[in-house]
Amino acid sequence: MFLTLALLRKGISGKQWIGKYRRPRQITWQMKRNTLKRLDIEAENEYWISRPYMSPQEEYGHAAERRAQNWLKIKDAKFTKFPEHKRITDHLSHLNITKTWSS
C-alpha cells in the first residue's frame, strides 16, 4: 500500500512551497544576476568603509566649534521666548493705597 501511494502520487501533499518535503525553487538567470549585483554593491561598500576620510587625530575635536555655535543659537532662541523680568514693586503696586494724587 505504501509503495503504491509513493509510486502513484502525483505531487507534494499540502502546500508545495513550505514544509519539510517542499518543492525546491528553480534558480533563474535573473536571480543569479541580482545576487551578483548585490554582492558587487556590498564589496564596494566594504572598500569605502575600510578607508577612513579623516585620521583619528584630525577627527578629534573637529566639530567642537560648530557644536558650540549651534548650542548658542538654541540658547538664544530659548531666551527670546522668555518673558521679561518683573520687579516685586510691579506685582505689589495695587497694594499702594496710601499715596495721594497730588504727589
Side-chain angles (χ1 to χ4, degrees):
M1 180 174 156
F2 292 115
L3 180 62
T4 308
L5 282 174
L7 293 175
L8 295 178
R9 186 163 36 170
K10 294 188 178 184
I12 299 166
S13 61
K15 299 277 187 179
Q16 64 178 340
W17 302 113
I18 61 172
K20 186 175 179 182
Y21 299 108
R22 64 179 169 258
R23 185 172 147 199
R25 193 170 175 194
Q26 296 273 332
I27 304 297
T28 62
W29 64 272
Q30 291 99 340
M31 292 175 171
K32 291 179 186 177
R33 181 197 59 204
N34 291 340
T35 302
L36 288 175
K37 192 187 296 184
R38 281 197 312 267
L39 287 173
D40 288 341
I41 291 171
E42 188 174 340
E44 186 178 357
N45 287 343
E46 287 181 8
Y47 171 80
W48 288 114
I49 288 173
S50 67
R51 286 155 177 79
Y53 179 72
M54 290 191 283
S55 67
Q57 292 82 17
E58 292 172 332
E59 188 177 356
Y60 179 75
H62 78 283
E65 185 178 341
R66 179 178 50 86
R67 290 181 67 212
Q69 293 295 328
N70 286 344
W71 169 247
L72 288 176
K73 285 180 189 175
I74 291 170
K75 196 165 82 168
D76 290 341
K78 281 186 180 181
F79 278 119
T80 56
K81 295 178 186 176
F82 198 77
E84 292 202 22
H85 294 295
K86 293 184 180 178
R87 307 212 179 279
I88 192 72
T89 55
D90 298 335
H91 287 287
L92 300 177
S93 62
H94 67 284
L95 298 175
N96 196 2
I97 56 169
T98 57
K99 284 190 177 180
T100 60
W101 285 94
S102 61
S103 59

